[in-house]
């Protein structure tokens, strides 16, 4: 089966596909970082949601007081959900875009702006920066995804 | 590297793959629309969640009253989360299904019913339509995804 | 177009890709199961969120009392959201990893541990098991995804 393996390797050797693989992985790692930040705030703020998570603080009322919401925890969670809502479309549409025969420089422009916009969005959410920083970074990532979707539909449309 | 590019273009030239690309992009654009509808209701209902989003309404108590939940905003957000829960499986399983050598008419039937069901689900959630409209549209999309998963496992199973 | 079809079939014939297809489908079916468990608890606990969902219980106050949150329903929903946060990165990074020319036994090891960890995570969340069962299963799935991301970036990096 080495012939088939070679063909798969050719896919990952294509520069547009390699660029997609790189930026998709970076933005997914950034999204995964939100889980660690949530855990960090849950532990430092002592704000948990599952009773079994507070068992180490003792039993009964002494542990129950740590079952609470915390403004910082909720902020990170909103940023995480916003990532899911926006990175899932990028993953799907971006993969199809990378297979649509776009030229390398245009593809790199799309991928770089999207990932830059999402990193900015996270910083704007967590610091937090005054609006319209978060709103604008969201719009930029959204517009890049729409632009890729347009190219995919123009190339592949089969209804 | 034009030889590799040609191979990628062949992938997007395959009709089943093009159908997947088309319907996956459409249903992702539909999901992205939920963000705009949420923003529309947040602004018209003046119901925000982040203090920095209400800064333009003034300082202190006058702005704080806009940090509140709104029934319409929450309804759109539930529809958006339901999209994520159902469209993510469609994206992954559908991609593998499109690579599993299904015939074109069967594949189109799956993709069209899924996208139709999800558009119906959104309309049923937002209007809202009386049950079982939303429930049935959810079941139909779910069943289509299970049917594609069966085909993928039958073709590709390697444990 | 039978020539192109053959090429697509070659992709699904590759053993690493077939292993990815199998485990990705299994873990997505597991995630989809969370929707059914949520529905089961909503119906048996009579805990709904949309007014139209309680219409069959009668009108006015008699139905309104079923618009409430239930601890078991919320627990399943948290497990479902945690699945989304962790399975989306696995889907994207795992697909790229499967195309990165990893050898079969290493790839199988990654896929099997990830899927095992996520099934354990769900059991730990729903039973629930005492900590650190849920925490450890989460860490294992997270670490497997990081390991695959490292391989993807090492193979494909194109910034």
């Amino acid at each position: 089966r080495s012939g088939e393996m070679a063909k798969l390797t050719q896919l990952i050797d294509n520069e547009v596909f390699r660029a997609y693989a790189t930026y998709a992985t970076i933005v997914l790692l950034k999204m995964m970082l939100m889980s660690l930040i949530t855990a960090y705030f849950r532990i430092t703020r002592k704000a948990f949601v599952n009773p079994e998570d507070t068992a180490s603080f003792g039993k009964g009322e002494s542990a129950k007081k740590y079952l609470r919401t915390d403004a910082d925890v909720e902020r990170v969670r909103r940023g995480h959900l916003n990532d899911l809502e926006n990175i899932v479309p990028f993953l799907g549409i971006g993969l199809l875009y990378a297979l649509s025969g776009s030229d390398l420089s245009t593809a790199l422009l799309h991928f770089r702006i999207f990932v830059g916009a999402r990193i900015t969005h996270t910083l704007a959410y967590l610091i937090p920066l005054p609006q319209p920083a978060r709103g604008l970074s969201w719009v930029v990532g959204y517009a890049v995804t729409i632009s890729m979707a347009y190219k995919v539909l123009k190339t592949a449309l089969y209804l």
Side-chain angles (χ1 to χ4, degrees), chain A:
Chain A
R1 286 167 182 270
S2 60
E4 287 153 19
M5 269 317 231
K7 265 172 207 121
L8 284 183
T9 311
Q10 283 166 357
L11 190 64
I12 207 80
D13 277 352
N14 175 277
E15 278 152 336
V16 172
F17 194 82
R18 281 177 58 196
Y20 169 73
T22 302
Y23 287 97
T25 301
I26 289 171
V27 84
L28 282 172
L29 289 173
K30 189 225 76 59
M31 186 173 91
M32 290 173 70
L33 189 59
M34 304 305 271
S35 299
L36 293 186
I37 301 174
T38 300
Y40 171 79
F41 277 124
R42 282 208 183 282
I43 291 165
T44 56
R45 297 329 195 229
K46 290 201 174 80
F48 299 92
V49 65
N50 297 299
E52 66 267 30
D53 302 351
T54 62
S56 61
F57 297 116
K59 290 198 182 282
E61 293 308 312
S62 60
K64 220 170 180 177
K65 70 181 174 201
Y66 300 121
L67 293 177
R68 58 188 188 86
T69 58
D70 173 86
D72 290 321
V73 170
E74 296 308 308
R75 181 174 281 277
V76 186
R77 293 183 66 226
R78 288 196 298 274
H80 201 165
L81 186 57
N82 194 282
D83 268 353
L84 270 173
E85 292 169 358
N86 290 279
I87 290 173
V88 165
F90 172 80
L91 282 183
I93 292 170
L95 174 67
L96 299 167
Y97 172 82
L99 299 173
S100 298
S102 177
D103 64 273
L104 180 61
S105 60
T106 312
L108 278 171
L109 195 68
H110 280 81
F111 299 154
R112 285 173 182 158
I113 293 176
F114 181 86
V115 173
R118 293 310 304 177
I119 292 172
T120 306
H121 185 272
T122 299
L123 293 175
Y125 222 144
L126 296 190
I127 291 177
L129 298 177
Q131 287 282 29
R134 198 183 85 239
L136 278 182
S137 62
W138 177 83
V139 164
V140 169
Y142 198 89
V144 168
T145 309
I146 299 283
S147 167
M148 294 193 304
Y150 174 76
K151 165 74 174 162
V152 170
L153 290 180
K154 214 180 62 173
T155 310
L157 192 67
Y158 196 101
L159 283 166

